[in-house]
Structures are given as C-alpha cells and as structure tokens.
Amino acid sequence: MIALLSMIIPVAAGWLLTYVFWRSPANVFSTLLRLSVGIGIGIGLSSCVFFLMMVAWGPGRLTALGADLALLLLSVVAAWVARSKATVSSAESTSGFAPEESEAPLAGKLFLGALILSLIGLAVLCYRMPHGAWDGWAIWNMRARFLFRGAAHWRDAFSPLLSWSHPDYPLLVPATITRSWFHSGAETVAAPILLAVLFFAALQGTMVGALSLTRGEGDGYLAGLALLGTPLLVLSAASQYADVPLALYLLLTAVALLLYEQSDGAQPGLLILAGLTAGLSAWTKNEGILFSACVVVSWVGMRMKGARTNAVELAWFVGGCIPVAAVVALFKLTLAPPNDLLAGLHWQTLADRLFDISRYGAIAVWLFRAVLFYAGIAALLWLVSARGLQENVFRRTAVVVPAGALVLLACGYIAAYLVSPHEVSWHVRTSAPRLLLQLWPAVVLTVFAATRSWDHIDETTPVGKRAVHYRARQRRSV
Amino acid sequence: MRSTDRQSQETEAKQRAAAVLFGTIALASAVVVLAAGLLHPRFDKPGLVGSYEERITRAAVALPPHGVIGYVSDDQRGNRFETPRSMRRYYLAQYALAPRILDNSVDHDLVLGNFTSESVDMSPYLKQGLEVKRKFGGGLVVFRRAGE
C-alpha cells in the first residue's frame, strides 16, 4: 500500500507538469494521455531529484521525502506560472487535436478483452517471479539494494568488481525502487512490481490516447492491439526489465513530436517535452543516450522546413533534454565505471572485429530470429499496404525525425554488436529481442502516423487498385 | 449518394478486417503470456529467489556489513563458471548479500564458500591458505585467511 502511495506524488507532479508543456481539449483520451505522460515524466524526474539529493546528503528516508516534496513544489509552481502566462486561447492552441469521428466498437472491445487477458497474464507472471527475471534482480533490483542497504557505502554499487551487473547503467529504475523502499521503511517486492505495471500501463495509455487524439479512436485501439500482440512486452514487464520504461520514453518522444505537429507549431512546450522524455530515456539505459543523440542527428539532417525553423525547434528540444542530460553526465563522470562494451577497445581490436565477416552473418541470423517475436510487424505491413503512406509523409517532422532516429538507433545496436567483446551469437541472441522491444512502440506509432486514413484509397497500392477496380465494377453493374 | 454509402461500407469493412487481424494477434499473444505464466517450467516457482536468499543470508552474521568478500564454489573451475547454473548461484549470492561485494576469487581475508552439498571436499581451499571460520549447513561456509 505504501509502495502505491510512494508512486502517487511523482505521478501527480508529472500530471501537473503536463499542463506546462501541453494544452489539450478535455476528453477521455487527452486525460488518458496526460496520465500516462505524467507517470513517465513524474517517475523519471523524481528519480533524478532523488539521485541529486542522494549525492548531496546520502540515501535515506528524509532524502526520499525531500525529493518528492521538491518535485511536487517545482511542478505546482511551474504549472501555476504556465497557467498565468498562457497567452494562446484555448480554441487556438487545441485546434489541431480534434479527433476524427470514427466509431470503433469492434477494435475497442477487442482491445479491452486483450488488455484484461494480458493484465491477468502479467499478474500471474509477477506472482511467479516476484523478484523479476535474471536481469531484473541481477541488475536493477540488486542496484536498488545497494542504494537502500548501503548507507554511507552506497557508492559500492558502482564497483568495477560488479562489472557483470553493468554498474555503468543509469539509475532511473533502481533509484525509483530505492525511493519507494525508503518510504515503506523496508524492502518489498511490491515496489519493483508496481513500477513495472505502471510503465506497462503508461505504454498502453500513451499509445491509445495519442493516436485516438490525433488519428481517431479506431487507430488508437488498433495500435494498442499491436502492442498487446507482442508477448515479449508483457514478459519483459513481469521480468522487471528496464526495456519497458525505455520503450515508454522513446514512445513519449515520438508522441510529443506528433502532438506538436498537430498543434501547427503553436505549442513549442511539446518540443521541450520531447527533449525531456529523450533525456529520461538516457537516464533509464545507455541505449537512451544513443537515442537522444540519434534524434538530434535526425533533426539536423532534416531539410524540409528551412534551416532557421529547424534550428529553433531543435533548440527547444535540446533545452528540454539538458536538465536530465546534466544528471546523466554527473552520474557518468563521478560514479559510473567504464562501459563493458567500450572498455579496452583498441583500434586493432576494432578493425579485427569490423572485418570479421562471420560476425555480420551471426548478427543477421539472430536479428532475423528476434524479429520473429514480433507478429505485429506483418499486421503493420498489411496496414501500410491497405492504407498507403500519406503524400507529404517525407516532409513531416513528426514522422521523419522519429523514423530517422529509430533507424539510426537500430544501426547503433548493430555497430555495438559488431565491436562487442562478448561472443557475438550469444550477445545478439540474448539481447536482440529486448532491444527491438525498446523500438517497437515508437515504430508502431510512427507507422500509424505516416499512413492514410481508412476512407482514403491510394490507387498506387495493390489493395487500392483492387478497391478501385471493385468500385468500377459495382458502378457498371448499377 | 449510393456511391457515398458504398464507400462508407467499404471503409467499415476495412476497419473491421483490421480490428480482426490486430485483435487476433493480440488475443493470441495474451493467451501465450497466460499459458507461459501458468505452465512454462522456465519461470521461477514462487519464492525461489527468496528461499535461496534465506539460505545465503544465514552466512551474513559471519560477514562484515559491507566491503569486498571472496567467493568460491565447487561448480566452477578456478574463477570461471562452468555452467549458467553456477553463474546464477554466484549472482543470487551477490543479490542476497548486497551491499557486500562478492569477488569471485579466494584472495581475500574472508571468503564465502557456496558449495553444492555438505560433503564437498574442502581440502583444495584449505591448501590455498584458508581455514573454516563457520559452517552453516547445506554446503554454505565462511572461510577466513589462516593466521588472520
């Protein structure tokens, strides 16, 4: 119960902060999305503040309480200031968010059914693995134990002797669990389980809420079904892996860009939100650092809006990213040991690995096998085939920037496998399905955002051609 | 008018087809997850990590509250783990004994012996300058460096 209460303050703070970044029409989907974003940024920021206070005063119950109060105060003040400074009229600022009127009773019912079944499955798995699966307890929960039990010796968590547990990984998940334990006054498996369930729920809520707002209810439920159609997502949540929180932050970044586009550029706060969530991805796992860099590179490479507009928008994004990036930098520079993939990497070794053709083959084989975990890919391909891409898709920031960043990130993963000091088949086999999971929600969102609506027929696609032929035949027979 | 109606019907049909496709995949996935949770032997039984932890933490009374402690087991060769199981036993011991750091080596003043059974021959470790400080049963031993 106290574990639940310990999450309420950060989520409430996150909820308030969403009003700083985003004005929206009041409906069920914007409420759902606001709550989901609140979970993501509230929990993420509370872990940042807790970490900073821990560095200053050491871990403890007062530190946890102080961090929560500081964040709550900050968010109340920020929401108050944002409210008083709001100059754009509500009608103007939210004009782009009107959802398409599309009744989706079947998709909605199927989504509800699949969600209930998935939650039952998640509950059963959490019961059977209360400490999570291997990486859950061996990395994230163990790090939380060091922070909670360590007292003055909490920095032992980052000893190079624990290199097998990746002590260089950022602290969003362990710091949140530790904060919850300090509130409870004891270690309890409820804290990591609750955290995993919250991130899982936020992932669903973000996907359904964002696409229902911007593309219509039908697309929202379909995209939610695409997520639920990935057993690995529920398994990873129950395993208490940080890949699910990371997937949420990648998705939130893409969502913020989509909402910004829908507002016709009237809400630059959404770009700050995109930067903030990208920063939080970097505070979750090392892959998030690469993702943030990929977003910037993708943005710089984008040429459709003109250099000045691009630069201004990028500046908003980077401005949102900087506070959390500073926390990550503090952690990396003062506490974290060298990364196991990069430590001891010499030019000769690098060249040897890069020119070893067998590594490419092993990576291709195991990546292909990892892709087979995602049955939803086939459904997405069908969707693209049936609806076609929008005409202006390659001129849209909300599609090009996330898509470019995700492709660059995937290339980064392949590069990491190529130079990995570990046996490459083992490395790819054991990690690739989870790495793809990090990208998957943002990929689903981007595909839905890039395709046309159902009532538009693109005559260039095979399905479109058949539809036009069918219509013509019907017309003749009439 | 008819054309508009037909177009609307086509759109609805496509939406239904999409809902059925995505819904089937999602429901199948949910059933797989549920079955995995209920049936799959790979997953831990309730409290498995917890019961292992109870065994290991009995040794905590003979160990300092923090610092580096050595680790040795009979299911590894030198400091190399022979099987994923032996690696798992070491990781679980570290998980249980945090914030102490378990170094997979005997070159320490205190060494945790995490053996697979009570009857394991400990003479190889005694020859490396260790002596038994305390036995906890079930193959769990704390060694100390002889003469310390």
Side-chain angles (χ1 to χ4, degrees):
Chain A
M1 192 61 185
I2 296 176
L4 182 64
L5 289 175
S6 71
M7 298 294 175
I8 286 179
I9 293 179
V11 172
W15 168 280
L16 281 173
L17 282 174
T18 61
Y19 286 94
V20 177
F21 303 118
W22 176 44
R23 292 179 298 281
S24 67
N27 65 36
V28 66
F29 293 112
S30 67
T31 306
L32 178 67
L33 181 57
R34 203 174 280 285
L35 182 62
S36 304
V37 176
I39 290 172
I41 63 173
I43 288 175
L45 286 175
S46 77
S47 73
C48 290
V49 179
F50 177 65
F51 169 71
L52 291 175
M53 295 182 87
M54 203 163 59
V55 169
W57 294 294
R61 200 169 198 170
L62 281 177
T63 308
L65 198 62
D68 282 355
L69 290 178
L71 180 66
L72 193 60
L73 189 67
L74 181 79
S75 54
V76 167
V77 171
W80 180 263
V81 171
R83 188 169 170 264
S84 61
K85 284 194 173 179
T87 52
V88 186
S89 74
S90 153
E92 187 188 336
S93 64
T94 61
S95 59
F97 294 111
E100 289 173 24
E101 289 300 323
S102 66
E103 288 296 318
L106 183 59
K109 282 175 192 166
L110 286 169
F111 175 75
L112 194 63
L115 182 65
I116 291 170
L117 268 181
S118 297
L119 286 174
I120 295 171
L122 181 61
V124 171
L125 286 166
C126 287
Y127 171 72
R128 300 199 74 160
M129 304 187 291
H131 294 263
W134 189 302
D135 279 8
W137 54 260
I139 297 177
W140 309 109
N141 290 336
M142 190 183 77
R143 193 87 65 250
R145 284 186 168 186
F146 269 93
L147 303 181
F148 181 71
R149 299 175 177 177
H153 298 271
W154 65 276
R155 286 178 171 83
D156 288 354
F158 313 106
S159 166
L161 289 172
L162 299 168
S163 60
W164 54 267
S165 74
H166 306 287
D168 63 304
Y169 278 3
L171 293 179
L172 187 144
V173 170
T176 304
I177 296 168
T178 308
R179 192 184 54 75
S180 180
W181 283 346
F182 276 123
H183 283 301
S184 305
E187 280 175 31
T188 154
V189 291
I193 289 175
L194 182 64
L195 187 66
V197 172
L198 276 176
F199 275 113
F200 176 78
L203 204 52
Q204 298 296 334
T206 302
M207 184 65 89
V208 175
L211 281 171
S212 297
L213 276 179
T214 56
R215 301 280 304 177
E217 208 175 321
D219 274 12
Y221 290 130
L222 280 186
L225 285 169
L227 281 194
L228 291 175
T230 315
L232 199 62
L233 178 65
V234 186
L235 293 173
S236 296
S239 302
Q240 300 171 20
Y241 291 162
D243 303 284
V244 178
L246 182 62
L248 174 67
Y249 290 120
L250 266 56
L251 176 66
L252 285 176
T253 306
V255 163
L257 293 176
L258 185 62
L259 294 175
Y260 173 72
E261 182 190 74
Q262 293 283 314
S263 78
D264 287 331
Q267 297 197 41
L270 287 163
L271 294 176
I272 301 178
L273 179 63
L276 177 63
T277 50
L280 288 172
S281 75
W283 182 232
T284 309
K285 282 192 90 178
N286 287 344
E287 293 93 315
I289 300 173
L290 183 60
F291 172 70
S292 302
C294 289
V295 173
V296 173
V297 170
S298 180
W299 215 311
V300 170
M302 191 177 66
R303 287 280 180 267
M304 65 284 269
K305 277 191 178 176
R308 185 177 164 79
T309 314
N310 267 358
V312 170
E313 289 183 348
L314 182 58
W316 284 112
F317 174 84
V318 172
C321 199
I322 280 175
V324 185
V327 174
V328 177
L330 175 71
F331 169 70
K332 289 287 182 183
L333 295 174
T334 61
L335 290 170
N339 178 265
D340 63 328
L341 294 182
L342 301 175
L345 198 61
H346 301 293
W347 288 112
Q348 187 56 49
T349 335
L350 188 67
D352 289 347
R353 288 175 189 160
L354 285 176
F355 289 110
D356 183 353
I357 301 299
S358 67
R359 292 176 80 89
Y360 290 86
I363 291 169
V365 166
W366 286 106
L367 272 181
F368 177 73
R369 291 190 183 187
V371 166
L372 297 180
F373 280 91
Y374 295 83
I377 288 178
L380 280 190
L381 289 174
W382 174 81
L383 186 89
V384 173
S385 161
R387 305 207 304 198
L389 294 174
Q390 294 168 359
E391 288 90 353
N392 62 346
V393 70
F394 297 110
R395 293 194 298 277
R396 291 178 54 200
T397 313
V399 173
V400 175
V401 171
L406 293 171
V407 169
L408 287 172
L409 187 58
C411 293
Y413 291 165
I414 292 171
Y417 285 138
L418 280 175
V419 301
S420 165
H422 307 295
E423 203 272 306
V424 72
S425 294
W426 170 84
H427 197 183
V428 186
R429 178 170 50 84
T430 54
S431 60
R434 286 187 288 122
L435 291 187
L436 293 180
L437 184 69
Q438 299 166 3
L439 311 179
W440 178 237
V443 168
V444 171
L445 180 101
T446 308
V447 167
F448 272 88
T451 52
R452 292 175 166 137
S453 57
W454 283 114
D455 46 13
H456 180 101
I457 293 183
D458 181 1
E459 295 172 23
T460 61
T461 67
V463 175
K465 276 178 192 160
R466 277 201 300 278
V468 169
H469 178 68
Y470 172 78
R471 275 186 190 177
R473 213 172 52 187
Q474 291 287 315
R475 223 173 281 131
R476 279 199 299 274
S477 68
V478 169
Chain B
M1 192 65 180
R2 273 183 188 169
S3 167
T4 315
D5 285 350
R6 199 174 298 121
Q7 195 171 347
S8 163
Q9 282 171 358
E10 282 171 17
T11 304
E12 278 175 26
K14 282 187 280 184
Q15 281 177 321
R16 271 200 302 277
V20 168
L21 175 64
F22 281 80
T24 306
I25 293 172
L27 288 169
S29 161
V31 170
V32 166
V33 167
L34 200 55
L38 292 170
L39 304 172
H40 203 293
R42 182 167 69 86
F43 297 116
D44 296 343
K45 291 171 187 167
L48 182 69
V49 173
S51 59
Y52 188 85
E53 192 168 8
E54 276 172 29
R55 172 180 173 272
I56 291 289
T57 45
R58 279 184 291 146
V61 293
L63 300 171
H66 52 80
V68 182
I69 293 148
Y71 178 90
V72 70
S73 179
D74 57 321
D75 59 358
Q76 62 186 65
R77 185 173 298 167
N79 61 356
R80 281 195 61 181
F81 299 108
E82 291 291 287
T83 61
R85 191 167 176 273
S86 64
M87 191 186 286
R88 181 186 165 90
R89 282 161 52 82
Y90 166 64
Y91 288 1
L92 276 170
Q94 173 61 76
Y95 178 59
L97 292 173
R100 303 164 187 88
I101 297 170
L102 288 188
D103 184 21
N104 188 25
S105 151
V106 292
D107 300 330
H108 295 276
D109 293 340
L110 285 171
V111 176
L112 179 76
N114 186 17
F115 302 110
T116 49
S117 78
E118 186 76 47
S119 56
V120 168
D121 175 20
M122 291 185 194
S123 56
Y125 313 108
L126 301 179
K127 282 177 190 166
Q128 294 181 59
L130 298 176
E131 63 183 23
V132 174
K133 182 182 178 187
R134 191 164 163 186
K135 285 187 175 182
F136 296 89
L140 190 66
V141 183
V142 171
F143 295 101
R144 69 179 160 211
R145 189 134 305 275
E148 288 285 326

